[in-house]
Amino acid sequence: MAYHELIKNFDGIRAYMRAFYVYGFKSRTEYSEKSARSYDNERRRMDSWLGACMSFHQEASGKCVFLSVDSRRIAHNPLFQAFKAKSFTDRDITLHFYLLDLLADGSALSATEVVERIAADYLSRFEGAEEPDESTVRKKLKEYEALGLLESEKRGREKYYRRTDREHPDLATWADALAFFAEENPLGVIGSYLQDKLGDLPAFFRFKHHYMLHVLDSEVLCALLLAIGEKREVAVSGRPRGSGQPFRRRVCPLKIYVSTQTGRQYVLCYEPRERSGRMQFFRLDTLTAVEPGAPDVAHEAHAALAAVFERTLWGVSTGTRRKKEHVEMEVRVEPDEAYIVRRLEREKRHGTVEKVRDGLYRFRAEVFDAIELLPWIRTFTGRITALRSDNALLTRTFRDDLNELLAMYGEGGDDLQ
């Protein structure tokens, strides 16, 4: 059959693409999420979209297929192609052209009139042509209205549809802005669709840290942003990383967080409870569905709670006890190293920086999870004269790592307080 593609569940595409991108070392026999037949079908589908980016190597267990993307050579995120494939049949294609042609003169027609015109203007020219069902036409008109291709007006009990052809801006004047937006913005897939209208895509930018994989979470992100803008509750469904059990929770989304180090995306939500609610983070790549719910009547109160909650966050971890932990670090700064002080001020987030005396500065912070600061604290190794925290694991880990480093070079123990 011509014009036939079966993509009913985009979350399945997300899972396979993520697996091929991150876990490409798995062979066909080692991939246990679905059947071998499903593996083959999805691999062929992705190969048709991303042929230039698909690679493989042979191992004893079999051929391992993976996505290989070099951001120095690829100006446009190839994973956008996943959004530009759609389930359709040969009837979908013919009905598409019938509708747009019938409404091309600006007239408005009801679903009944559309069916009659299709039969009279098109199908009458062919023997044995099958007339489309009126319910199918109604569904297609409703779908196109949701996509913005058509608009409707009510006349009595009947809905009439017309095309929404409007004058469009000159996208060529936005080519450089679109090129940057498509690759940099979390919802860059919108920019990619607009770029498709330009024909030859401009290649103005290259990115040292190009977080391509997270484009697959665009539908989830868009639904959350709409809910935040509309101050609405949502029902989120998903599965934690690893072998966690599927979950479904009713929450009030408040803010999106994007890591500048990993590109991972999170949503901060207020989760109502029977007695008292609490703030909760969800990683977007663990969410499979976001369903809009009732208006959040206490949205302003929840947003105020989130603002207070943020003051004790370093990243997105809230720790195991949801209890504030004190962190204090003293850093030695030489007279010609004012840039170290500027860096402390720039990167302190919700902490404070004070001058103890000439050549010595103290950083303080109250956070939910002091361990989150450890990678940042390590960047000051060699300058730290004191490190204190309520979280003994933080100071012990830092001290052990430092002693191990010194031992590698035959040095003695450190004099860190």
Side-chain angles (χ1 to χ4, degrees):
M1 178 187 291
Y3 306 122
H4 189 67
E5 179 60 280
L6 297 175
I7 304 172
K8 297 299 183 186
N9 183 2
F10 184 74
D11 190 60
I13 298 294
R14 286 174 70 201
Y16 275 103
M17 274 202 165
R18 187 171 286 113
F20 281 116
Y21 192 90
V22 180
Y23 307 113
F25 54 83
K26 288 187 178 182
S27 68
R28 181 176 183 266
T29 56
E30 293 172 323
Y31 194 83
S32 58
E33 296 294 323
K34 298 285 185 179
S35 67
R37 186 172 185 177
S38 295
Y39 175 97
D40 289 337
N41 289 340
E42 299 303 337
R43 183 192 57 75
R44 288 191 205 96
R45 180 174 287 126
M46 281 185 279
D47 191 50
S48 70
W49 301 338
L50 309 169
C53 302
M54 297 289 282
S55 300
F56 72 91
H57 59 81
Q58 197 72 36
E59 293 188 353
S61 59
K63 184 169 72 172
C64 295
V65 182
F66 58 94
L67 286 170
S68 177
V69 180
D70 186 344
S71 60
R72 295 172 300 176
R73 296 182 174 87
I74 296 176
H76 310 288
N77 190 336
L79 303 186
F80 287 139
Q81 294 300 322
F83 291 92
K84 298 171 184 177
K86 183 175 174 59
S87 293
F88 57 83
T89 65
D90 51 347
R91 290 192 178 185
D92 286 323
I93 293 294
T94 53
L95 190 54
H96 170 82
F97 287 106
Y98 288 160
L99 293 177
L100 296 188
D101 188 47
L102 282 173
L103 301 174
D105 59 0
S107 60
L109 300 174
S110 67
T112 303
E113 290 173 337
V114 168
V115 173
E116 293 172 351
R117 290 282 300 276
I118 289 175
D121 296 357
Y122 304 103
L123 302 183
S124 61
R125 302 172 185 270
F126 303 96
E127 289 186 10
E130 187 176 346
E131 186 176 315
D133 185 78
E134 186 171 329
S135 64
T136 301
V137 171
R138 288 186 185 277
K139 289 177 183 177
K140 185 62 67 175
L141 289 169
K142 187 175 180 180
E143 176 189 348
Y144 279 21
E145 182 183 13
L147 291 172
L149 299 175
L150 303 178
E151 59 186 10
S152 68
E153 61 176 321
K154 202 76 177 287
R155 298 180 187 173
R157 299 179 62 182
E158 195 70 54
K159 254 189 177 183
Y160 284 76
Y161 296 86
R162 62 163 48 88
R163 285 175 53 160
T164 54
D165 295 331
R166 298 186 180 93
E167 184 178 349
H168 297 289
D170 181 7
L171 290 179
T173 62
W174 292 85
D176 51 351
L178 286 174
F180 182 76
F181 177 88
E183 305 303 324
E184 185 274 340
N185 194 274
L187 284 177
V189 64
I190 298 171
S192 178
Y193 273 102
L194 293 174
Q195 280 187 306
D196 290 346
K197 299 179 181 295
L198 293 174
D200 294 331
L201 298 181
F204 300 138
F205 301 101
R206 293 293 189 277
F207 295 85
K208 182 179 179 181
H209 301 293
H210 202 173
Y211 303 117
M212 295 183 175
L213 187 64
H214 305 291
V215 68
L216 299 176
D217 304 322
S218 294
E219 285 189 337
V220 169
L221 176 60
C222 185
L224 289 169
L225 288 173
L226 287 173
I228 293 172
E230 296 172 358
K231 301 179 180 179
R232 186 177 295 279
E233 295 179 356
V234 296
V236 294
S237 303
R239 182 190 294 272
R241 308 299 296 171
S243 57
Q245 293 299 312
F247 63 84
R248 179 182 172 85
R249 311 263 268 278
R250 182 175 65 88
V251 298
C252 307
L254 298 168
K255 190 173 182 179
I256 302 295
Y257 285 69
V258 181
S259 170
T260 57
Q261 293 178 310
T262 65
R264 288 175 184 158
Q265 300 169 338
Y266 302 81
V267 58
L268 174 62
C269 303
Y270 178 83
E271 185 176 10
R273 297 282 178 126
E274 290 184 4
R275 295 185 179 178
S276 62
R278 69 169 187 170
M279 294 294 169
Q280 182 73 28
F281 276 103
F282 295 93
R283 250 176 75 169
L284 266 59
D285 61 355
T286 68
L287 300 181
T288 56
V290 178
E291 302 169 27
D296 178 12
V297 294
H299 180 84
E300 301 304 325
H302 296 157
L305 286 174
V308 175
F309 181 76
E310 283 183 308
R311 295 173 194 162
T312 47
L313 285 175
W314 183 260
V316 294
S317 175
T318 56
T320 57
R321 299 178 299 169
R322 294 268 176 144
K323 183 181 178 182
K324 294 180 183 179
E325 298 174 344
H326 179 75
V327 179
E328 188 173 309
M329 173 178 67
E330 292 183 0
V331 177
R332 185 180 66 251
V333 180
E334 298 299 327
D336 60 344
E337 293 180 333
Y339 64 91
I340 297 296
V341 180
R342 291 196 296 270
R343 186 185 159 208
L344 281 167
E345 290 286 354
R346 184 176 66 248
E347 300 176 4
K348 69 180 187 301
R349 301 191 187 181
H350 299 295
T352 60
V353 175
E354 63 176 320
K355 182 177 180 179
V356 179
R357 61 176 182 270
D358 288 345
L360 188 66
Y361 287 79
R362 181 181 294 127
F363 163 82
R364 287 193 177 111
E366 300 285 337
V367 296
F368 278 129
D369 189 356
I371 296 298
E372 276 198 308
L373 279 78
L374 191 54
W376 181 71
I377 289 172
R378 284 183 178 134
T379 65
F380 294 95
T381 298
R383 301 179 182 278
I384 301 173
T385 61
L387 179 63
R388 309 179 190 92
S389 176
D390 298 340
N391 190 325
L393 180 60
L394 170 68
T395 53
R396 183 170 66 250
T397 302
F398 181 81
R399 192 183 302 273
D400 291 347
D401 290 348
L402 184 58
N403 286 333
E404 185 177 344
L405 178 64
L406 293 170
M408 288 176 59
Y409 295 94
E411 300 290 340
D414 65 277
D415 58 353
L416 185 69
Q417 297 178 27

